Amino acid sequence: MLRIGSLSLETPLLLAPIAGHCDLAFRILCREQGGVGLASTDLLNSRAILNGSARTLELAATNDFDSPCGMQLYGNDQDPLPEAACWAIDHGAKLIDINMGCPVDKVAKKHGGSLLLRDCASTQRLTERIVEAVRKHSGDRVPVTAKMRLGWDREHFVAPKLARDLEQIGIQAVTVHGRWTVQFFSGKADWDRIGEVVAAVGSIPVIGNGDVTEPQHALDLMRITGCAGVMVGRGALRTPWIFRQAFEMMKLGSSSTPDSVFEPSFLYKCQMIRRHIELLTEHSPCERHALHTMRSRIAWYSKTMGPIKPLKEAIRTATTLTEMVVAIEEWIEIAKNRAGPLGLPEASMSQ
Ligand SMILES: Cc1cc2nc3c(=O)[nH]c(=O)nc-3n(C[C@H](O)[C@H](O)[C@H](O)COP(=O)(O)O)c2cc1C
């Protein structure tokens, strides 16, 4: 459905890296829901990888249930990104993505991220070094991609030219988040400008990103911009099944949500939360971390679940993962009595 260099993705839908959210447990959860063609690690500091920083190695963790997995690196021309990319390939990366969009001061003031949009010549040199190293190390097996914003601000719409120049250097796909760096994450993503990047590149796929919060939006973004794939960020935190729904609609060629497109029940959502707790138990560095993660995630999930204040409270105040499981099990029982036995798809429970 979407080819990036030598990598064939089963669907053109990608889970966005979202630092602090799209960890291994969440990536597996989204994949289990269906429809995810590719998911990536959150941004990884190249020096921290090579220094063996425990936290960064945790962030880089992947496994067979998380395949194909991209690893996203950030840094600038002075950083050992080519070496870190080779490390990533040796540790399971099926694609290397270069972060050219992070607006956060810690990254964009000196290290990289959106800073790379300000000096396109040095970004090209950096990219050339990474592409060359990855080509040699993987024997052309692992594609290198870039994820960028439109530009630093409205006066600097660099994405079309930069994407075209990077294609000539050997980048095999570009993801465009349709915002300016100065916007951070607010305001609307400008899909028309994403379309201008699509028009500017030669033959590599452009992946559109920004404000896809309903399955229909993924189809709209492809239609409006001509992009070959769609990356979903915050929409997936709220509805991790959005990929499956969007993919079903793509297969049906539908312009509105047909009845046959899976719509999760309340019971399904409760079971999915339990599954997320299970995955966190398995893949978090410690129980405290898992508890902290689920406390922040319940607010996202609750957005589509109606009045569940007691469940939110129980998740928020649980002091162990066992307590969390007990709380969600109670709600699963309530939901079963209320809604009939529509559970998770079988594939989700197969691990
Ligand atoms: C809290 C947060 C953390 C993010 N971390 C990353 C990151 O590590 N790497 C990256 O390329 N983009 C990161 N992003 C940007 C997203 O990948 C995505 O481009 C952006 O949220 C727009 O897509 P959306 O409207 O679907 O959320 C982050 C966004 C948010 C809100």
Side-chain angles (χ1 to χ4, degrees):
M1 287 294 294
L2 174 61
R3 207 174 163 80
I4 302 179
S6 59
L7 185 66
S8 285
L9 307 184
E10 281 177 17
T11 84
L13 298 163
L14 292 80
L15 171 65
I18 300 192
H21 291 82
C22 295
D23 53 16
L24 178 57
F26 187 67
R27 296 197 300 273
I28 294 176
L29 185 82
C30 289
R31 291 178 193 278
E32 287 180 351
Q33 303 303 305
V36 175
L38 182 83
S40 293
T41 65
D42 296 336
L43 78 179
L44 306 170
N45 180 302
S46 55
R47 284 186 195 280
I49 283 185
L50 298 171
N51 292 339
S53 143
R55 178 72 191 126
T56 305
L57 299 191
E58 272 160 35
L59 291 174
T62 181
N63 65 24
D64 290 346
F65 300 108
D66 180 36
S67 185
C69 176
M71 291 198 192
Q72 191 189 61
L73 306 173
Y74 77 93
N76 60 36
D77 207 14
Q78 311 301 312
D79 289 317
L81 275 143
E83 294 80 357
C86 296
W87 180 98
I89 293 166
D90 293 341
H91 290 80
K94 299 286 186 284
L95 173 150
I96 301 294
D97 188 44
I98 310 171
N99 183 309
M100 301 185 183
C102 181
V104 174
D105 275 2
K106 206 177 107 190
V107 174
K109 275 234 165 99
K110 52 181 177 157
H111 288 299
S114 261
L115 195 65
L116 301 191
L117 303 176
R118 302 201 87 163
D119 180 355
C120 294
S122 110
T123 301
Q124 285 179 50
R125 282 196 302 274
L126 171 67
T127 305
E128 212 160 3
R129 284 172 45 226
I130 299 170
V131 166
E132 183 59 23
V134 168
R135 214 174 252 158
K136 272 198 191 133
H137 196 73
S138 76
D140 252 343
R141 201 174 36 86
V142 175
V144 180
T145 60
K147 179 165 179 282
M148 61 179 69
R149 288 180 176 240
L150 301 174
W152 189 271
D153 55 31
R154 282 179 185 280
E155 282 69 53
H156 300 91
F157 181 28
V158 299
K161 178 167 179 347
L162 181 60
R164 194 173 53 239
D165 290 344
L166 295 182
E167 177 178 16
Q168 267 150 30
I169 289 168
I171 280 283
Q172 288 177 306
V174 171
T175 303
V176 184
H177 173 192
R179 287 188 175 83
W180 311 99
T181 302
V182 289
Q183 279 183 281
F184 279 67
F185 299 102
S186 64
K188 248 171 85 80
D190 187 336
W191 288 2
D192 290 335
R193 302 239 187 188
I194 296 176
E196 291 185 44
V197 183
V198 174
V201 300
S203 59
I204 57 168
V206 172
I207 295 150
N209 167 240
D211 294 347
V212 173
T213 54
E214 298 291 337
Q216 178 62 49
H217 298 164
L219 283 79
D220 294 344
L221 181 54
M222 289 176 93
R223 181 176 45 77
I224 291 169
T225 65
C227 65
V230 171
M231 181 178 275
V232 185
R234 289 161 294 178
L237 302 182
R238 195 171 62 97
T239 54
W241 53 84
I242 188 171
F243 304 96
R244 175 176 169 191
Q245 290 181 318
F247 190 48
E248 279 184 39
M249 288 169 69
M250 282 174 186
K251 284 188 292 187
L252 289 168
S254 181
S255 60
S256 62
T257 314
D259 289 346
S260 59
V261 169
F262 155 83
E263 187 54 44
S265 65
F266 185 79
L267 171 60
Y268 181 100
K269 292 172 187 173
C270 291
Q271 288 175 316
M272 197 202 66
I273 294 172
R274 181 182 60 189
R275 179 66 182 141
H276 197 169
I277 298 171
E278 270 172 30
L279 287 165
L280 284 170
T281 307
E282 220 174 301
H283 298 295
S284 295
C286 63
E287 185 170 29
R288 222 181 95 238
H289 187 272
L291 287 168
H292 174 77
T293 304
M294 187 42 77
R295 283 181 198 132
S296 72
R297 303 313 286 277
I298 191 68
W300 285 96
Y301 291 146
S302 71
K303 289 179 199 289
T304 70
M305 292 178 76
I308 56 159
K309 212 169 158 200
L311 174 61
K312 279 163 77 177
E313 194 56 15
I315 297 283
R316 203 181 58 75
T317 55
T319 54
T320 64
L321 287 166
T322 311
E323 274 175 42
M324 269 190 188
V325 172
V326 169
I328 191 66
E329 291 281 1
E330 277 174 16
W331 281 74
I332 287 173
E333 283 313 307
I334 295 169
K336 273 184 183 159
N337 294 330
R338 210 168 77 180
L342 180 61
L344 280 168
E346 272 169 31
S348 322
M349 305 306 286
S350 61
Q351 288 183 44

